[in-house]
Amino acid sequence: KPHQFWETQPMPNINDMDSLKPGPIQEGILADVRKDPYNLISKFEWCNVDLRNDEQAQQVYTLLKENYVEDDDNMFRFDYSIDFLRWALLPPGQYPDWIVGVKVNQKLVGFITGIPVALHIENQQTKVKMTEINFLCVHKKIRANRLAPVLIKEITRRVHIKNMWQAVYTAGIVVPTPISQTRYYHRSLNAKKLIEVGFSSLSARQTISRQQKLYKLPDEPKTQGLRPMKKKDVAQVTKILNEYLKKFKLYFKYTEDEVKHWFIPRKDVISTYVVEKEQGVVTDFVSFYNLPSQVIKNPKYTHLRAAYSYYNVATQTPIVQLMYDALILAKNEGYDVFNALDIMENEKFLKELMFCPGDGQLNYYLYNWKLESNMLKPEEIGIVLV
Ligand SMILES: COc1cccc(CC(=N)NC(=O)c2cccnc2OC2CCNCC2)c1
C-alpha cells in the first residue's frame, strides 16, 4: 500500500483539490501537542546534534556521506562537507532541538533537520513562520524499520511545540502532494571528466575533444565591476534580493543578518559575486553553492565537483550574460559541472548557455497548506533549498 504514512498527514489529496479552501489544512492547537518525544524501538535513542561540536559534526558527515541521496542510477551520492552543514543548519534564529539524531550504542543511524524561515505564499498579506525541513536520512543497514515516519513525526512535534504549523521541503520522489515539479539541468564545465565518471555520455557522432571545444569558456568574466561579495554589500544585496523575489509566488523575506549568513562567501561552501559598475552601487549578483558528489565506483575519480545555482538577481546586467560569467567563475573555482533548476527565471538562460536536462525532477512540498492554485509552475517558485 503506497504512501501509508503520508495519507495520515495534512496534505491535500486529489479529491481535496477543489473542496479545501486556501490556507492551513489543519488548525494547530498548542495544548494538543505531545510534550514528550515519540517512542523509539528499544536501544534507539533521540539526540539533539550540536554541529558546532567537531565529533558530532563528523558523525553527521559520515552518516550522510555513506547513506544520503543518490542519483537514479546509484552512481553518485551527495557528499555535504562539515563546513557546508554548519552553513546550511546554523542560520540566525536556529533552534538546537531542530537538529535531530537517532543513535544506537552512541552511533548515529538517523537524522532530520529543520531551520526557521518566513515564507511568503501566493497573495498572503503576511509571511508564514514555518520550518524548512532537510537531510532526512536513515542508515542503509536499518531501513524498512519505519524509522523515517517517526523522524518526521518527531521533528513535526518539535515544530508544533513552537507554535509553528507549516513546513517546506523538497524531494526527488513523489509522495502526497507536490506543489511544484521542477526539473534540473546541468552545464558541463569539465567535459572530459564528466564523460570519464559517467555523468555525461557521448553519442555516436560526438568525441571528447569536440565536447571540450563545444563547452569551452573564456578565461575571465565579461561583466565590468563583477567581484566577490563583501560585508559592505549586505545592505544593498538585501534590498535588491527582497525586491526581486516579490515577482514569485513562493519566496523568503531576508533580514540583513540572514543575507550576511546565506551570501557572504565561505570557501568551498557558498560563492557570491556582485556587480558594482558605478562607485558604491551594487546592481546585480550571482551566487552558487558547493555540493560535491562521491563517485561511487570509478578507477580514476572519487568526487564530482558540482556548483549549484543559488539566487541570482539581474537588474542592470542581462541575466544570460550574468549567468555566463557565473559559469566562468565556477570553472575557475575548479567545478566540473554547474547545476540549476528550471525555477525563477532560469529558463531564460538554460538553453542559451547549453544546459542539458537531468534525468530526474525535484518536487517542492508545503506541509499543512492548501494553495489557491493546486500546483505552481516552476517559474513561480522563488526559493532554493540546499
Ligand atoms: C550528481 O550527483 C547526484 C547525487 C545525488 C542525487 C543526484 C540527482 C538529484 N537528486 N539532484 C538534485 O536533487 C538537484 C539537482 C539540481 C539542483 N539541486 C538539486 O538538489 C539540491 C536541492 C535539494 N537538496 C539536494 C540538493 C545527483
Side-chain angles (χ1 to χ4, degrees), residues 174-349:
V174 180
V175 288
T177 304
I179 57 162
S180 191
Q181 303 196 285
T182 74
R183 300 197 54 74
Y184 39 85
Y185 289 75
H186 317 288
R187 206 288 184 180
S188 176
L189 301 176
N190 181 346
K192 185 164 180 297
K193 177 173 176 184
L194 294 187
I195 291 155
E196 289 176 331
V197 300
F199 183 84
S200 308
S201 53
L202 285 177
S203 68
R205 283 181 308 288
Q206 291 168 331
T207 65
I208 287 188
S209 75
R210 268 227 282 280
Q211 289 297 91
Q212 287 173 308
K213 278 195 198 64
L214 179 68
Y215 290 113
K216 182 142 182 54
L217 291 165
D219 292 341
E220 294 306 320
K222 192 169 139 203
T223 306
Q224 187 235 335
L226 188 61
R227 61 166 173 77
M229 177 184 175
K230 296 186 194 102
K231 272 206 178 50
K232 67 175 184 173
D233 303 315
V234 166
Q236 290 190 78
V237 167
T238 306
K239 201 160 75 56
I240 61 174
L241 175 62
N242 281 329
E243 190 50 41
Y244 176 73
L245 291 175
K246 287 177 184 166
K247 61 175 76 177
F248 305 108
K249 290 210 168 156
L250 217 56
Y251 59 91
F252 298 135
K253 180 138 176 63
Y254 288 85
T255 63
E256 288 192 6
D257 232 11
E258 286 162 333
V259 165
K260 198 160 132 236
H261 176 83
W262 293 115
F263 292 95
I264 291 289
R266 295 179 187 213
K267 184 165 169 27
D268 296 331
V269 173
I270 175 77
S271 298
T272 305
Y273 294 84
V274 298
V275 177
E276 178 187 0
K277 271 200 199 57
E278 196 191 314
Q279 171 68 17
V281 182
V282 170
T283 50
D284 318 87
F285 73 87
V286 283
S287 59
F288 45 89
Y289 63 83
N290 173 40
L291 172 52
S293 281
Q294 183 183 355
V295 183
I296 294 170
K297 242 188 339 291
N298 183 281
K300 185 174 177 186
Y301 297 103
T302 58
H303 285 83
L304 179 64
R305 279 194 282 272
Y308 286 71
S309 181
Y310 194 47
Y311 290 91
N312 308 299
V313 176
T315 64
Q316 304 292 320
T317 307
I319 183 113
V320 171
Q321 178 186 319
L322 197 64
M323 292 313 293
Y324 189 60
D325 283 343
L327 296 177
I328 296 163
L329 292 164
K331 169 79 182 170
N332 293 349
E333 289 190 26
Y335 290 100
D336 302 320
V337 64
F338 192 97
N339 295 325
L341 296 164
D342 58 354
I343 60 175
M344 296 191 272
E345 299 184 300
N346 293 357
E347 279 291 2
K348 292 182 178 172
F349 62 79

